[in-house]
Amino acid sequence: MKILGIFCSAVLLAVSCDSEPKNKNLTYQNIVIISDMSSRIDNKPSKDIDEIHKLIIFFKTECVKPGKKIGDRSSISFSPFSDKTITSIDLDRFKSLETKQCFINSTGKYKNNGLVQQINIFESKVKETYKNTRNQGLDLISILIEKIDNEPIIKKDTSFIDIDTTFTKYENHIYVFTDGYLEYLDKKANSQFYFGGSEIEKIRHYCIVHKVDITKALKTNYSLNLPTNKSSKNQYIHLHVFETQERDKNDKLQTYKYPIGQRDNEILEAVWRKWAKESGFKSFEWKKY
């Protein structure tokens, strides 16, 4: 009887240990592409479409991983600054795992309308938008703020409690394709986020007169900065500014008008980076054309 009691206790202990709640941590990517459709894409042969293609391939091969991964919840979307989302692929919309995998693998009812076909449609809509859309003088920072605050482009982490607790984390990446210059038509009415040639020259002049670098100039004289915007959603966003250009560079001669430390792109990057940091973005990346 004593042996039976010991055996039962051991079984109960094993069961209780085996049923102890566990935490599952799952991470997915939310890729948001927003393009500046101004004359800047006509000034030089545009690299935007090639870079967007790389992001789409990353979404497919590194996030979704057809044939290698089950149940991914990543998403990718595209819009110009002048419009809301034009095209998107969001695996979160599938509530059934079976249906989701049919879409990812283009089987069953998604045989002719699965992931591969939707990626082709996505890329076609991107190319069509670049071909047919031109917007002159948009206030990009203000529009970016509006998109983050008022459009459903950012995903927040969630948790689900059953026997185990599943924590779902989203890495939100906003890719802004623009030349880096913040010039728009109604500067006289509102110059809050305007940052063009004259603003760049002010920083350059301040650096020369006070014999300081760009970082020191921005730290010392706050009037040279963009005003911060601490949206509660910024903390969830990795901000990427891609394909920025250099108007002070002679492409034929491969020469610059100004020395290192005073060039347009260096100043623009410092201004954007400080704005992103003070506005509370999770991280910031700057890529030059």
Side-chain angles (χ1 to χ4, degrees):
M1 190 72 179
K2 183 177 180 181
I3 294 174
L4 179 61
I6 294 172
F7 175 76
C8 290
S9 297
V11 170
L12 288 172
L13 179 62
V15 171
S16 64
C17 288
D18 188 56
S19 62
E20 184 178 341
K22 298 177 182 178
N23 291 338
K24 296 180 181 178
N25 294 286
L26 304 174
T27 301
Y28 304 106
Q29 306 299 315
N30 176 33
I31 300 169
V32 180
I33 303 166
I34 310 175
S35 292
D36 167 16
M37 296 296 181
S38 65
S39 58
R40 60 111 193 168
I41 56 180
D42 298 318
N43 294 336
K44 293 183 177 182
S46 178
K47 291 185 178 180
D48 290 16
I49 291 176
D50 289 340
E51 290 297 324
I52 292 172
H53 175 72
K54 292 177 184 177
L55 292 174
I56 294 169
I57 295 301
F58 172 80
F59 169 74
K60 178 184 176 183
T61 61
E62 299 300 324
C63 300
V64 183
K65 296 183 178 181
K68 298 180 180 179
K69 185 178 181 182
I70 295 176
D72 189 70
R73 297 177 63 176
S74 298
S75 58
I76 186 168
S77 65
F78 167 78
S79 72
F81 271 91
S82 57
D83 206 345
K84 294 184 178 180
T85 299
I86 286 178
T87 183
S88 68
I89 302 172
D90 188 351
L91 298 181
D92 249 345
R93 70 186 178 91
F94 296 101
K95 303 307 177 185
S96 162
L97 179 59
E98 181 181 358
T99 303
K100 180 185 293 187
Q101 291 309 122
C102 283
F103 172 79
I104 290 172
N105 298 315
S106 298
T107 58
K109 68 177 182 179
Y110 291 105
K111 183 178 180 180
N112 298 312
N113 191 30
L115 179 64
V116 172
Q117 292 83 2
Q118 287 303 310
I119 284 176
N120 290 335
I121 292 171
F122 190 103
E123 294 214 60
S124 294
K125 289 187 177 181
V126 169
K127 291 175 181 177
E128 181 183 351
T129 303
Y130 267 84
K131 181 180 179 181
N132 299 321
T133 306
R134 290 297 179 273
N135 303 120
Q136 304 302 321
L138 296 180
D139 183 354
L140 298 190
I141 292 287
S142 291
I143 296 172
L144 178 62
I145 291 169
E146 288 295 317
K147 282 183 173 290
I148 291 171
D149 286 343
N150 300 318
E151 293 181 25
I153 61 174
I154 302 304
K155 295 188 176 185
K156 291 187 178 181
D157 301 347
T158 62
S159 62
F160 175 75
I161 301 175
D162 193 2
I163 296 175
D164 300 327
T165 301
T166 301
F167 296 96
T168 301
K169 180 181 179 182
Y170 292 97
E171 294 289 352
N172 295 281
H173 295 268
I174 293 184
Y175 289 86
V176 174
F177 283 83
T178 183
D179 59 4
Y181 296 83
L182 296 167
E183 299 166 321
Y184 47 89
L185 300 177
D186 56 349
K187 179 185 177 181
K188 291 183 178 179
N190 178 13
S191 62
Q192 184 179 26
F193 293 110
Y194 190 98
F195 205 93
S198 60
E199 287 71 28
I200 291 171
E201 187 54 43
K202 286 179 184 178
I203 293 178
R204 186 179 289 124
H205 179 73
Y206 188 93
C207 290
I208 294 170
V209 170
H210 296 275
K211 297 180 181 180
V212 295
D213 60 19
I214 301 167
T215 302
K216 182 69 173 179
L218 294 176
K219 186 177 181 180
T220 305
N221 188 343
Y222 199 77
S223 68
L224 300 173
N225 293 264
L226 291 170
T228 58
N229 180 74
K230 295 186 177 182
S231 168
S232 60
K233 293 183 180 180
N234 291 351
Q235 62 184 306
Y236 305 107
I237 300 170
H238 300 277
L239 182 62
H240 310 260
V241 182
F242 273 25
E243 300 314 298
T244 65
Q245 297 175 14
E246 303 171 291
R247 295 179 190 171
D248 55 343
K249 180 182 179 182
N250 187 317
D251 290 330
K252 290 183 179 179
L253 299 177
Q254 290 295 298
T255 57
Y256 286 88
K257 186 176 180 180
Y258 302 101
I260 292 175
Q262 297 178 19
R263 293 172 182 171
D264 279 19
N265 202 274
E266 294 173 309
I267 294 172
L268 287 168
E269 178 181 1
V271 169
W272 272 88
R273 187 175 295 280
K274 193 167 187 290
W275 175 79
K277 181 179 180 180
E278 293 182 349
S279 295
F281 285 90
K282 194 170 185 178
S283 70
F284 180 81
E285 180 185 11
W286 180 270
K287 187 172 181 179
K288 188 169 65 174
Y289 185 91

